[in-house]
């Protein structure tokens, strides 16, 4: 790069979490200052509030960061608004409003990007629990995310810890799918579309964020519902990426067969776990069965709206 002041934006999509923003935004300003200390970047922080009532405005104003309201419901609309609001930036880093960056989070993402300028750099996520998880949750390893050598090529990435080269994203024409905004999977589809278009994506293991897991999520019910949702969105994305009616039909058959196989094997593993009194086998078997069921439902056109909102606008 010949530009000595590379413009970077940190974007935080948010919805009804003003207290979390009050904690997160000073941390992000510190990340921006850390990156800019070398004099080669200029970094700003952007809050995209998906609440038409602007519940995050005060927190953003207190922190002195840029703030916009995106009234169209759904995380995809908020992410697309972040793309649009970052028109003057070369790089855009996404972090969720219930996450906290570790020291050097942004600096490491940008460092790895500078090595070969890929379209996307994805970083590591570690869980921090509001209360200790039970044995079923712990042995199921439901909140353990992947860790890869830095520079590993990727074919898919989540958006909770993500750096985008906006020049390449704009060139590709890829945006977040609005119809997946309340179901999830919009980041999976986005990254897979980039990969399918030939854009490079790589991993950065030194860029770490903590995912703060509230007590409401440390339960079998939540974990199994999330497994259903992930299976469903994975299959939905595969169908969306298929080419033509015949390709989509094949993708649906694969989702149905693969999902059914996961259900059968998952039930068998759960039964084995009960027989052996193994919480780990019970947990992972149950997750496989629920994930498979979500895939089968997607094969027949079902889309699970995990982030559907009530008439008052709050998530169900």
């Amino acid at each position: 790069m010949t530009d000595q002041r590379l413009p970077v934006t940190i974007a935080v999509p948010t919805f009804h979490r003003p207290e979390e923003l009050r904690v997160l935004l000073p941390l992000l300003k510190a990340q921006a200052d850390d990156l800019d200390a070398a004099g080669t970047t200029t970094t700003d922080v952007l809050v995209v509030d998906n609440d038409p009532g602007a519940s995050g405005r005060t927190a953003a104003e207190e922190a002195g960061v840029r703030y916009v309201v995106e009234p169209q419901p759904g995380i995809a609309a908020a992410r697309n608004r972040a793309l649009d609001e970052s028109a003057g930036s070369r790089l855009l880093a996404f972090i969720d409003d219930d996450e906290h960056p570790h020291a050097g989070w942004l600096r490491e993402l940008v460092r790895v990007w500078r090595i070969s300028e890929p379209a996307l750099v994805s970083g590591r996520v570690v869980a921090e629990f509001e209360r200790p998880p039970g044995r079923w949750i712990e042995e199921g390893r439901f909140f353990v995310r992947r860790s890869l050598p830095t520079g590993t090529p990727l074919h898919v990435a989540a958006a909770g810890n993500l750096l985008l080269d906006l020049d390449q994203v704009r060139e590709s024409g890829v945006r977040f799918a609005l119809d997946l905004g309340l179901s999830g999977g919009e980041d999976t589809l986005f990254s897979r579309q980039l990969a399918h278009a030939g854009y490079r994506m790589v991993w950065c293991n030194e860029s770490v964020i903590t995912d703060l897991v509230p007590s409401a999520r440390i339960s079998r019910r939540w974990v199994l519902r999330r497994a259903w949702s992930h299976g469903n969105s994975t299959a939905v994305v595969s169908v969306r990426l298929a080419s033509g009616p015949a390709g989509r039909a094949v993708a649906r058959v694969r989702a149905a067969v693969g999902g059914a196989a996961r259900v059968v094997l998952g039930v068998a593993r759960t039964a084995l776990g009960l027989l052996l009194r193994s919480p780990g086998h019970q947990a992972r078997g149950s997750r496989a069965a629920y994930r498979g069921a979500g895939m089968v439902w997607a094969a027949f056109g079902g889309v699970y709206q995990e982030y559907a909102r009530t008439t008052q606008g709050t998530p169900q």
Side-chain angles (χ1 to χ4, degrees):
M1 295 291 300
T2 58
D3 185 354
Q4 295 302 304
R5 299 287 292 178
L6 184 73
V8 181
T9 295
I10 306 171
V12 189
T14 189
F15 181 73
H16 283 183
R17 284 179 173 160
E19 295 308 316
E20 288 84 346
L21 282 180
R22 284 190 170 89
V23 176
L24 173 60
L25 293 178
L27 300 178
L28 295 184
K29 291 187 70 178
Q31 293 279 333
D33 291 343
D34 174 62
L35 180 65
D36 293 346
T40 59
T41 57
T42 176
T43 307
D44 74 317
V45 179
L46 167 69
V47 174
V48 181
D49 197 343
N50 205 211
D51 175 18
S55 57
R57 183 184 300 277
T58 301
E61 290 177 346
E62 290 173 352
V65 303
R66 204 151 50 101
Y67 176 85
V68 297
V69 173
E70 174 48 57
Q72 182 170 347
I75 186 64
R79 295 199 191 285
N80 283 337
R81 181 66 179 274
L83 293 178
D84 296 337
E85 292 289 334
S86 305
S89 293
R90 173 67 186 272
L91 301 178
L92 170 63
F94 275 117
I95 187 169
D96 291 342
D97 59 5
D98 57 353
E99 297 174 334
H100 287 170
H102 290 210
W105 161 70
L106 183 62
R107 177 166 29 89
E108 289 298 325
L109 285 176
V110 174
R111 178 186 67 82
V112 170
W113 174 82
R114 286 186 184 275
I115 293 172
S116 61
E117 297 190 6
L120 179 156
V121 183
S122 182
R124 188 156 52 96
V125 179
V126 296
E128 179 180 303
F129 298 98
E130 187 175 30
R131 61 173 173 82
R135 188 178 174 191
W136 191 90
I137 297 286
E138 189 171 5
E139 293 197 16
R141 298 177 60 82
F142 298 114
F143 295 94
V144 177
R145 311 287 186 90
R146 63 181 174 175
S147 179
L148 303 168
T150 293
T152 299
L154 301 176
H155 301 289
V156 65
N161 182 359
L162 194 68
L163 182 75
L164 298 176
D165 182 327
L166 292 179
D167 283 3
Q168 296 183 63
V169 170
R170 294 176 190 122
E171 178 185 72
S172 74
V174 175
R175 288 174 68 84
F176 294 93
L178 295 176
D179 59 330
L180 299 183
L182 296 177
S183 65
E186 84 294 335
D187 49 355
T188 298
L189 179 60
F190 177 90
S191 58
R192 287 187 63 184
Q193 285 177 320
L194 275 180
H196 281 208
Y199 290 88
R200 289 187 307 107
M201 310 191 304
V202 302
W203 182 259
C204 175
N205 211 49
E206 294 78 25
S207 173
V208 187
I209 56 134
T210 291
D211 177 23
L212 304 172
V213 184
S215 293
R217 295 186 177 186
I218 311 173
S219 69
R220 297 189 188 194
R221 181 177 181 273
W222 189 90
V223 163
L224 294 178
R225 185 177 69 177
R226 175 55 64 93
W228 173 291
S229 174
H230 280 181
N232 183 256
S233 63
T234 297
V236 167
V237 167
S238 294
V239 172
R240 289 280 294 271
L241 287 171
S243 178
R248 288 189 289 273
V250 170
R252 291 184 187 280
V253 170
R254 286 176 176 169
V257 173
R262 283 173 171 80
V263 171
V264 172
L265 294 174
V267 169
R269 186 172 187 180
T270 303
L272 178 64
L274 290 169
L275 182 65
L276 299 177
R277 297 183 180 180
S278 167
H281 281 307
Q282 293 174 43
R284 290 190 285 273
S286 297
R287 177 173 61 179
Y290 271 77
R291 184 179 179 89
M295 294 172 64
V296 172
W297 194 36
F300 291 94
V303 178
Y304 178 53
Q305 301 289 311
E306 182 176 3
Y307 305 104
R309 300 175 184 179
T310 65
T311 53
Q312 288 76 31
T314 55
Q316 291 181 349

